[in-house]
Amino acid sequence: MPVRAIPRWLSVLLPLLLALSLSASPAHSARRVAGDLTLSPTEFYGGQAVTFSGTLATSGTRKIWLEFHMNRPGDEWTRIPGFTTYTRSDGSFRFTQPARGMLNIILRVASRTVATPGVVSRAEDQEVAVSVTLTDQLFDLLLGSDLQQDYVRYAAVVSVPYVVQVDTSPVDSPVLPGRRVTLQKQVASDRWQTISSGITNSQGVARFAQVVTQPGTVTYRARLESWTEQGSRIGWFPSFPTTVDVMSVTDLLSELAEDPEDTPVEGPPPGTRKVPTPAVTSARAFGWWPVRFDYDWEYGESLTDKPTRGTHLRGAWVDATTGSGRAARHNAGLMLESKYGRVVPRDSGPGDRGSVSATLQGNAQKFGRWEVRIRPWVIESGGHDYRVRFELVPEDPAQRLCGARSITVADIAPRTSEIRYGVNTPPHNREWRGIRSAPVQQVARAYAVEVARDHVSWFLDGQLIGTVRARAAVPRVPLTIRLSLVGDEKQEMNHTYAIMDWIRAYSLEHGKRPANGAKLTAGKHTLRC
């Protein structure tokens, strides 16, 4: 029996009804519910300054704070740390705080005895689209064919000026006029050179005139710089790479004869289907706390912001791409995506090429534990599948030896439910490999590893799945996290997402050491460094 879509009016009404039931339920709070709460503006980004105003409908000056509810069965009201203020004598209040970057959570203002009704908070995700338009009308007409791939790849002509347009509100998201935009040119997979800077207009658009005098390829990205107006703390945010092929007139006529083929879409767009989320983590199962660092991007943090919780609050992420993909914050998490995917038909068509990764720098440890919750999904067929990979690599690139000294925590093929894990070591090209089968397409699972002086152990959703007790398997150098979509630069890939809900690390000082897990298969790798 087919599942009927929920009417739009009901999808809007349900969160509001849930908010009212939560605010009135004694199971979630013993406080009396009274008064009202309004958020302004009603549309905002994570980290943007939002004004909370209303009343507790109780006279007298009272100490108040903010609480949130994750809007899931079994969750409870939780106080947001680091902020308190006071009501006026009539019980009213008005204050400004940065918005939390999660979808459909419930917020309320509370005191020791009274709390307002809950209000649904839906922070928008930042997005930015980079497009290219020639200023010569004749060439612009010629290139208005299928040769142009929106937001992925464009064609230009030698010595003919073109405009790189940066739209910071391509999906009707809030506009921040006056936000600084930096236009960058890619000079290496993990290095971008600034070539121009400007600010957005009242529509959230910035434009940059460019001209190239020699045939070749230029890859641009736009970086929306940090926004701190009126108490906001939105971090910088990058666009997807946009490539311009600059060609001679002769080459242009040749290229116009080739039409890219569309790739059919498979499955629903992101976020339209509910999927199970295993609740158990290895940190909880084995008592690893306190956390060394915890990246969860709950507000508007950028890749270079330090973690929000932990005993070692330092480090920044270095993003790299060899094709069309991007690493960026999304809905209180880190998302790797294979190309810009906010156009109709949803995410389909050519242009998914190469690999994209995010590597943590400045918070490595030689021995310890690391855990990441990852939700991957593929929404196309007809091309080649990406692999979603969570690895530990030496923090010093010179010690990585092209992968011969690395620990694979999870190497995921979403559509085959295959999870690979293992470790490589340089001496004698030794390797140990394990494999598990579990549903992973749109399923958020917690992948973890423990590295000690005498063993490496792997975990899936709090369960020990493998152990290697060969000392040669332990890298014995400071290790850091690398998260990747691994694809091919020369062939079309299937559009893929991977959301990292949170990224955490722990020391070996606390918690239980696991018993031996299943043995991994020993062999020899073929990496030549």
Side-chain angles (χ1 to χ4, degrees), residues 286-302:
F286 293 93
W288 290 349
W289 300 92
V291 66
R292 178 184 175 91
F293 62 74
D294 182 357
Y295 283 94
D296 58 8
W297 285 280
E298 287 187 1
Y299 293 95
E301 298 93 339
S302 66

Side-chain angles (χ1 to χ4, degrees), residues 43 54 117 287 308 377-378 437 460 476 482:
E43 295 184 345
T308 53
W377 67 99
V378 184
S437 180
L460 176 63
R476 300 183 187 280
R482 181 170 65 196

Side-chain angles (χ1 to χ4, degrees), residues 330-508:
H330 174 83
N331 187 19
L334 174 68
M335 183 164 77
L336 305 180
E337 186 178 359
S338 57
K339 81 167 189 301
Y340 185 86
R342 306 294 185 270
V343 291
V344 177
R346 59 180 187 264
D347 306 330
S348 64
D352 301 88
R353 299 293 176 101
S355 299
V356 59
S357 66
T359 306
L360 181 61
Q361 294 289 325
N363 209 332
Q365 52 182 347
K366 188 180 294 186
F367 307 109
R369 293 128 168 178
W370 295 259
E371 188 166 25
V372 179
R373 176 167 282 165
I374 303 173
R375 179 164 65 102
W377 67 99
V378 184
I379 55 90
E380 280 185 307
S381 61
H384 298 266
D385 279 348
Y386 282 92
R387 297 196 73 89
V388 180
R389 193 170 290 169
F390 165 21
E391 302 169 281
L392 293 184
V393 298
E395 185 178 43
D396 181 357
Q399 296 177 330
R400 292 175 189 170
L401 300 178
C402 68
R405 184 185 283 120
S406 63
I407 297 173
T408 301
V409 187
D411 186 349
I412 305 163
R415 296 201 300 177
T416 65
S417 299
E418 177 188 82
I419 305 168
R420 301 175 186 171
Y421 52 95
V423 57
N424 296 329
T425 187
H428 309 294
N429 288 2
R430 298 180 69 184
E431 71 168 11
W432 293 262
R433 289 286 173 263
I435 189 169
R436 280 292 173 111
S437 180
V440 292
Q441 173 83 318
Q442 287 214 62
V443 179
R445 295 193 177 276
Y447 304 89
V449 67
E450 176 179 278
V451 181
R453 294 181 182 276
D454 61 350
H455 72 273
V456 181
S457 292
W458 290 261
F459 306 82
L460 176 63
D461 294 331
Q463 298 292 320
L464 178 64
I465 60 173
T467 300
V468 172
R469 288 204 172 271
R471 288 182 174 268
V474 181
R476 300 183 187 280
V477 297
L479 299 172
T480 194
I481 293 174
R482 181 170 65 196
L483 302 160
S484 312
L485 285 183
V486 181
D488 194 308
E489 299 175 51
K490 298 181 180 179
Q491 60 188 7
E492 179 69 18
M493 308 297 294
N494 290 322
H495 197 114
T496 300
Y497 299 80
I499 285 277
M500 290 70 184
D501 289 336
W502 41 255
I503 301 166
R504 298 169 182 164
Y506 307 85
S507 72
L508 296 177

Side-chain angles (χ1 to χ4, degrees), residues 250-280:
T250 302
D251 291 337
L252 168 62
L253 295 176
S254 175
E255 289 284 342
L256 286 174
E258 300 181 10
D259 292 325
E261 297 181 358
D262 287 338
T263 307
V265 175
E266 176 180 287
T272 62
R273 181 162 52 115
K274 290 202 171 198
V275 294
T277 301
V280 179

